[in-house]
C-alpha cells in the first residue's frame, strides 16, 4: 500500500508544478503596479505620502520585481540582460529603444544606471536637470541632440563620467545585433524566488508564503489561515450531511427502481438541482430568519459580536443557531449529485450476476446490499466526493457572501472587488492543490474499497 501511495504522489508532482507555474504567470500579468498599491496602502494606514523613490526601489527589490521573469527568455543579441532593474516605465522604454538602435544593450543599461544613480545623489542641481532631460529621449538622434547641449569639462567629475559613457554608446553602433535571436538564461529569477523565497522578507509559496495583500498589507498566508477554518467547517459539514441523507436514500431508490419513492426522490433531486444556491439561501433567510415570518434563526454571521461563552457546551448553544441555515444550503448544494450517483450505481450493481449468486447462496438481503453491492457501487461516489470538495470550496463564495460568513469565499469576493491579486492567486493555487489532493485521496480510497486496484 505504501508503495502504491508513493507512486501516486510522484504522478501528481508534474500537475503541482504546472499549477504553480500557471499561478505565477497569472500573478505576473496582473495589471497595475503592485509596489504602488502596497506603498499606497501603507501610506493610507500611516497617514503619510510615499514620494521617496528610494522607498519605492527598496520595496520593488524586496518583491523581486527587479529580477528576470523566468529561467530563460527569448530576446535578441542587442537586448540588455537585466532590463527588470529599470523601475521607471518611460526610462525602460528609452533603454529598450536605444539598445535596439545601437545594438549595445548591456552598455546602454550600464550608462543608464550611472545616470540614475547621479540623479539620486545630486537631485536638484543643474546637471541633474540636464541628465533628466537626457533620460527622456526615445532615439539615438534625440540622444545625440541632448548630448550636444551638454558639455564635458565642468568641475563635477561624476557628471563628466556619465556624459562620457553616453558619448561612447552614441559613437559605437552595432544595430545588426537586434536581428540575431538568442535565448538568455537567468539563474536568479522571479519564479525561483516565488517558489523558494529569498530567506529574508519572503519564504516562498513552497513554505506557505504567498506575499502581502495589496489592500491590507497583511501576509496572505495569515489571511488564508484565519479564513480557511470556517470554509472547511461549512463545506465538510455540508458534504457529511449530504452523505448521511443521500447514501441510504440512493441505496433504497436503487433497490426500488420505478417505485413511488424512486419517482418522488428523482423529482425532488431535479428540483434541488434547478435551484441556484443563492436563491435557496435567500429563500431560507426569508422564511426562517425573517422576524415577520418565523424568525427562528439569525440572518448572518457565525456568532454574536460580544461572545461570553465559558465552556464548549455554552459555545455550541450560542453558535449552533447561526450554523443551521448555512449547513442546510451547503448540504442541498451537493445532495442531488450524490443521491443520483448512488442510485444509478446501486441499480447497475444489483443487476449483475454476482448479486444473483450471493442471493442464491442464502445471504441475507442486508448483507447482499451493504457488503457486496454497495462496496462495488462506491467507485462513482468516491470520484464524485473527491471532485465535490474543491468545487464547494470555490462555490462557497456565494453562500458565504449571502450569510456573511467570514471565510475564504467571502474573502475572495472582497479580493476580486478590490483587485487584491496576491490573495486571488493564493486561493487559485490552494484550490488547485486541493483538487490534486482530492484525486490522490480518491485513488487511495479506490484501493481500500477494492484491493485489486493496486495491482492495476
Amino acid at each position: 500500500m505504501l508503495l502504491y501511495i508513493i507512486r501516486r504522489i510522484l504522478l501528481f508532482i508534474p500537475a503541482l508544478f504546472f499549477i504553480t507555474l500557471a499561478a505565477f504567470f497569472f500573478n505576473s500579468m496582473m495589471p497595475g503596479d503592485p509596489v504602488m498599491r502596497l506603498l499606497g496602502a501603507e501610506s493610507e494606514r500611516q497617514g503619510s505620502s510615499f514620494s521617496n523613490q528610494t522607498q519605492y526601489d527598496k520595496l520593488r527589490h524586496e518583491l523581486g520585481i527587479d529580477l528576470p521573469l523566468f529561467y530563460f527568455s527569448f530576446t535578441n543579441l542587442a537586448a540588455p540582460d537585466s532590463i527588470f532593474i529599470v523601475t521607471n516605465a518611460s526610462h525602460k522604454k528609452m533603454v529598450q529603444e536605444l539598445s535596439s538602435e545601437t545594438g549595445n544593450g548591456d552598455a546602454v543599461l550600464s550608462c543608464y544606471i550611472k545616470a540614475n544613480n547621479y540623479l539620486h545623489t545630486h537631485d536638484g542641481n543643474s546637471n541633474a536637470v540636464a541628465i533628466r532631460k537626457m533620460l527622456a529621449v526615445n532615439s539615438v538622434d534625440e540622444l545625440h541632440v541632448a548630448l550636444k547641449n551638454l558639455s564635458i569639462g565642468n568641475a563635477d567629475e561624476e557628471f563628466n563620467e556619465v556624459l562620457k559613457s553616453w558619448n561612447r554608446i552614441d559613437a559605437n553602433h552595432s544595430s545588426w545585433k537586434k536581428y540575431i535571436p538568442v535565448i538568455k538564461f537567468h539563474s536568479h529569477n522571479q519564479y525561483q524566488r516565488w517558489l523558494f523565497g529569498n530567506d529574508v522578507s519572503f519564504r516562498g509559496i513552497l513554505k506557505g508564503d504567498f506575499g502581502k495583500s495589496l489592500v491590507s498589507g497583511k501576509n496572505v498566508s495569515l489571511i488564508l489561515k484565519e479564513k480557511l477554518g470556517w470554509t472547511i467547517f461549512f463545506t465538510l459539514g455540508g458534504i457529511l450531511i449530504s452523505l448521511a441523507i443521500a447514501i441510504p436514500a440512493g441505496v433504497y431508490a436503487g433497490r426500488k427502481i420505478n417505485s413511488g419513492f424512486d419517482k418522488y426522490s428523482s423529482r425532488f433531486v431535479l428540483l434541488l438541482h434547478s435551484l441556484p444556491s443563492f436563491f435557496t439561501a435567500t429563500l431560507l433567510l426569508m422564511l426562517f430568519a425573517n422576524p415577520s415570518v418565523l424568525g427562528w434563526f439569525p440572518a448572518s454571521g457565525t456568532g454574536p459580536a460580544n461572545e461570553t461563552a465559558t465552556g464548549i457546551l455554552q459555545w455550541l448553544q450560542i453558535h449552533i443557531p447561526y450554523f443551521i441555515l448555512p449547513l442546510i444550503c451547503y448540504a442541498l448544494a451537493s445532495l442531488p449529485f450524490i443521491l443520483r450517483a448512488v442510485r444509478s450505481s446501486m441499480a447497475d450493481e444489483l443487476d449483475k450476476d454476482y448479486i444473483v449468486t450471493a442471493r442464491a447462496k442464502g445471504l441475507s438481503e442486508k448483507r447482499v446490499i451493504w457488503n457486496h453491492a454497495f462496496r462495488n457501487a462506491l467507485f462513482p461516489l468516491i470520484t464524485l466526493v473527491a471532485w465535490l470538495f474543491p468545487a464547494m470550496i470555490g462555490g462557497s463564495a456565494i453562500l458565504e457572501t449571502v450569510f456573511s460568513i467570514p471565510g475564504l469565499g467571502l474573502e475572495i469576493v472582497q479580493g476580486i472587488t478590490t483587485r487584491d491579486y496576491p490573495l486571488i492567486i493564493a486561493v487559485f493555487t490552494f484550490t488547485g492543490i486541493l483538487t490534486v489532493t482530492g484525486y490522490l485521496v480518491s485513488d487511495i480510497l479506490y484501493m481500500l474499497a477494492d484491493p485489486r486496484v493496486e495491482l492495476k
Side-chain angles (χ1 to χ4, degrees):
M1 179 177 177
L2 180 60
L3 183 62
Y4 174 80
I5 295 174
I6 293 173
R7 188 166 66 247
R8 301 306 295 173
I9 291 174
L10 292 176
L11 286 175
F12 282 115
I13 289 177
L16 293 174
F17 168 74
F18 283 111
I19 288 172
T20 61
L21 193 63
F24 168 75
F25 280 107
F26 283 143
N27 186 56
S28 63
M29 291 187 294
M30 293 299 180
D33 188 344
V35 180
M36 293 297 291
R37 291 282 303 278
L38 279 172
L39 287 173
E42 183 67 25
S43 301
E44 185 176 340
R45 288 191 297 272
Q46 297 179 358
S48 59
S49 62
F50 53 87
S51 57
N52 191 336
Q53 181 67 29
T54 303
Q55 185 182 1
Y56 177 90
D57 293 341
K58 180 182 178 182
L59 183 55
R60 196 171 187 272
H61 177 70
E62 288 179 2
L63 295 177
I65 306 177
D66 56 349
L67 294 173
L69 195 63
F70 198 58
Y71 288 102
F72 59 88
S73 59
F74 299 95
T75 182
N76 57 66
L77 198 58
D81 283 334
S82 305
I83 190 65
F84 289 94
I85 66 175
V86 182
T87 60
N88 187 289
S90 62
H91 290 176
K92 181 181 289 186
K93 181 180 178 182
M94 181 270 298
V95 171
Q96 290 172 330
E97 292 287 343
L98 293 184
S99 298
S100 179
E101 289 192 47
T102 64
N104 298 313
D106 291 333
V108 171
L109 184 60
S110 176
C111 295
Y112 167 78
I113 293 173
K114 290 180 182 179
N116 198 48
N117 290 339
Y118 185 90
L119 289 180
H120 283 313
T121 55
H122 301 84
D123 193 17
N125 65 22
S126 58
N127 289 337
V129 173
I131 287 182
R132 198 178 299 277
K133 291 180 180 179
M134 185 183 71
L135 292 179
V137 303
N138 288 316
S139 67
V140 174
D141 292 336
E142 291 181 18
L143 176 63
H144 185 70
V145 173
L147 290 173
K148 210 171 181 183
N149 296 327
L150 299 174
S151 60
I152 299 175
N154 62 37
D156 193 338
E157 289 297 330
E158 191 174 347
F159 175 71
N160 289 339
E161 183 58 33
V162 172
L163 293 187
K164 288 177 182 178
S165 64
W166 282 106
N167 275 309
R168 285 194 292 269
I169 291 298
D170 188 33
N172 299 307
H173 287 196
S174 303
S175 57
W176 57 270
K177 291 182 179 180
K178 66 182 178 182
Y179 300 109
I180 309 298
V182 295
I183 300 176
K184 293 189 176 181
F185 295 92
H186 316 285
S187 57
H188 299 287
N189 54 75
Q190 293 184 39
Y191 179 66
Q192 178 176 296
R193 180 191 177 278
W194 194 69
L195 281 180
F196 304 105
N198 58 4
D199 296 326
V200 180
S201 58
F202 179 65
R203 295 182 296 116
I205 67 164
L206 294 183
K207 297 179 182 178
D209 190 350
F210 288 92
K212 294 182 179 180
S213 165
L214 298 182
V215 176
S216 64
K218 293 176 62 177
N219 193 295
V220 172
S221 302
L222 293 179
I223 297 176
L224 295 181
K225 186 177 180 181
E226 292 172 0
K227 305 296 183 180
L228 188 59
W230 286 117
T231 300
I232 291 179
F233 171 77
F234 284 104
T235 300
L236 188 58
I239 291 178
L240 291 177
I241 293 173
S242 295
L243 290 172
I245 298 173
I247 288 177
V251 169
Y252 188 80
R255 289 176 58 194
K256 307 290 184 180
I257 295 294
N258 294 324
S259 65
F261 179 83
D262 182 38
K263 291 178 181 179
Y264 286 115
S265 64
S266 298
R267 292 169 187 170
F268 177 69
V269 164
L270 180 62
L271 176 65
L272 284 182
H273 186 59
S274 64
L275 294 178
S277 57
F278 68 86
F279 178 79
T280 306
T282 305
L283 187 63
L284 290 176
L285 287 174
M286 291 175 60
L287 290 176
F288 299 105
N290 187 353
S292 302
V293 183
L294 293 176
W296 291 350
F297 304 106
S300 61
T302 56
N306 299 317
E307 181 186 328
T308 57
T310 56
I312 184 65
L313 293 179
Q314 190 176 3
W315 186 91
L316 290 173
Q317 185 179 4
I318 293 173
H319 285 269
I320 281 178
Y322 291 87
F323 298 161
I324 292 176
L325 292 183
L327 283 174
I328 290 174
C329 286
Y330 275 91
L332 292 180
S334 57
L335 181 63
F337 304 99
I338 298 176
L339 198 153
R340 293 298 295 175
V342 174
R343 183 249 186 206
S344 300
S345 186
M346 280 297 298
D348 290 340
E349 291 299 324
L350 290 173
D351 281 340
K352 293 182 178 179
D353 293 338
Y354 75 92
I355 297 296
V356 177
T357 303
R359 285 171 174 161
K361 288 182 177 180
L363 297 179
S364 65
E365 187 67 12
K366 180 179 179 181
R367 189 172 179 184
V368 170
I369 295 297
W370 294 105
N371 287 18
H372 295 274
F374 181 69
R375 186 184 183 94
N376 290 322
L378 276 176
F379 285 87
L381 181 61
I382 291 172
T383 303
L384 181 62
V385 172
W387 165 84
L388 200 58
F389 193 79
M392 289 189 69
I393 289 284
S396 66
I398 298 173
L399 294 178
E400 287 183 10
T401 303
V402 174
F403 289 104
S404 298
I405 297 171
L408 196 58
L410 181 60
E411 191 70 24
I412 193 60
V413 170
Q414 295 173 348
I416 293 172
T417 304
T418 57
R419 295 184 298 170
D420 194 354
Y421 299 124
L423 178 63
I424 297 171
I425 295 301
V427 175
F428 164 77
T429 307
F430 174 77
T431 306
I433 293 173
L434 189 64
T435 302
V436 172
T437 305
Y439 284 120
L440 175 62
V441 171
S442 68
D443 283 345
I444 296 173
L445 292 177
Y446 288 149
M447 191 199 67
L448 293 176
D450 187 353
R452 291 174 300 175
V453 170
E454 186 174 359
L455 299 177
K456 299 176 184 179

